[in-house]
Amino acid sequence: MQSLLQEISNRCFLTPELQQHIAINFEEILVRKGEKILVQGNRANYLYFTKKGVLHTYYYHDGKQISSWFYAENYFITSWYSFYAQNQSFEEIECLEDCILYRISYKNYQRLIADFPAFGNFARLLAEEMLTFIDKFSKGWSFLTAKEKYDLLLTYFPDIELRVKLGYIASFLGISQETLSRIRK
């Protein structure tokens, strides 16, 4: 719970009362490698925080699985569109390792926002960070070479090759595994 509290406190002031409510509302769960915490077509009812493990988000295009991002320790994860809009998700989230996660339901998340202005500030800052990252990343991504995309991925996730199958990385980069092998050399 300490890592979760630390990440929240990086964005807002935590009173003892707010810490207590966070501890009550965030549930620790163990999810095994290969299990999904979200399936396409379902609504993202939870926001997760990764205590341990690696997950990836992906979607299907023309029947092919396309990796869209990877999350490791100390990151919040959900299907952002689905969670905030409370609509069906177009993506899936799968554990690539055994994961220890903290999760909070959308309903309890909204209740903490309403009851604690500091938590509302945290929620706003988290949403701003996600929007800023996604916007910046998506706009610049199209103009990068495969090598530049690979290098950028490594800046965000330096040990990704040790924890994620190369096929998923190649899918994320939009290249074949053979091309990825050449880039890595």
Side-chain angles (χ1 to χ4, degrees):
M1 180 67 56
Q2 199 56 41
S3 57
L4 170 63
L5 292 171
Q6 181 62 50
E7 282 300 315
I8 293 173
S9 73
N10 288 341
R11 296 169 181 87
C12 74
F13 178 72
L14 292 181
T15 63
E17 182 184 10
L18 177 52
Q19 285 185 37
Q20 180 183 11
H21 281 271
I22 289 169
I24 291 168
N25 285 282
F26 276 87
E27 168 190 20
E28 183 177 297
I29 61 169
L30 172 65
V31 185
R32 297 284 179 205
K33 177 180 178 177
E35 291 182 23
K36 297 174 186 176
I37 60 171
L38 181 64
V39 175
Q40 180 183 7
N42 290 348
R43 183 181 312 136
N45 290 317
Y46 293 96
L47 172 67
Y48 297 88
F49 178 78
T50 308
K51 178 179 178 182
K52 180 182 178 296
V54 175
L55 304 95
H56 80 132
T57 55
Y58 61 91
Y59 59 95
Y60 290 95
H61 180 72
D62 292 334
K64 185 177 178 183
Q65 181 179 308
I66 309 295
S67 293
S68 51
W69 196 247
F70 305 95
Y71 295 84
E73 289 80 8
N74 299 320
Y75 280 94
F76 289 94
I77 180 172
T78 190
S79 172
W80 300 102
Y81 161 76
S82 178
F83 183 73
Y84 285 124
Q86 284 295 279
N87 286 329
Q88 290 181 332
S89 175
F90 58 85
E91 60 189 345
E92 301 198 356
I93 305 173
E94 179 182 14
C95 293
L96 300 179
E97 299 175 348
D98 289 346
C99 293
I100 300 172
L101 307 170
Y102 292 106
R103 72 178 184 184
I104 185 170
S105 70
Y106 178 81
K107 179 181 172 184
N108 289 343
Y109 187 72
Q110 293 301 322
R111 186 175 323 138
L112 284 179
I113 290 170
D115 292 347
F116 295 93
F119 193 83
N121 193 48
F122 157 76
R124 178 185 57 79
L125 290 171
L126 179 63
E128 287 176 2
E129 287 171 21
M130 292 290 84
L131 177 62
T132 302
F133 175 77
I134 291 167
D135 190 50
K136 178 184 174 190
F137 197 87
S138 67
K139 287 188 173 117
W141 191 251
S142 303
F143 304 105
L144 298 177
T145 66
K147 171 75 168 117
E148 291 169 330
K149 289 177 181 179
Y150 175 73
D151 291 341
L152 182 60
L153 178 61
L154 291 180
T155 64
Y156 287 104
F157 201 156
D159 65 343
I160 192 167
E161 293 175 338
L162 303 174
R163 301 176 78 183
V164 174
K165 291 179 183 177
L166 293 180
Y168 292 150
I169 296 171
S171 167
F172 174 74
L173 297 174
I175 59 176
S176 68
Q177 279 191 252
E178 294 78 18
T179 301
L180 177 59
S181 293
R182 283 193 297 274
I183 289 172
R184 292 175 61 219
K185 290 179 183 177

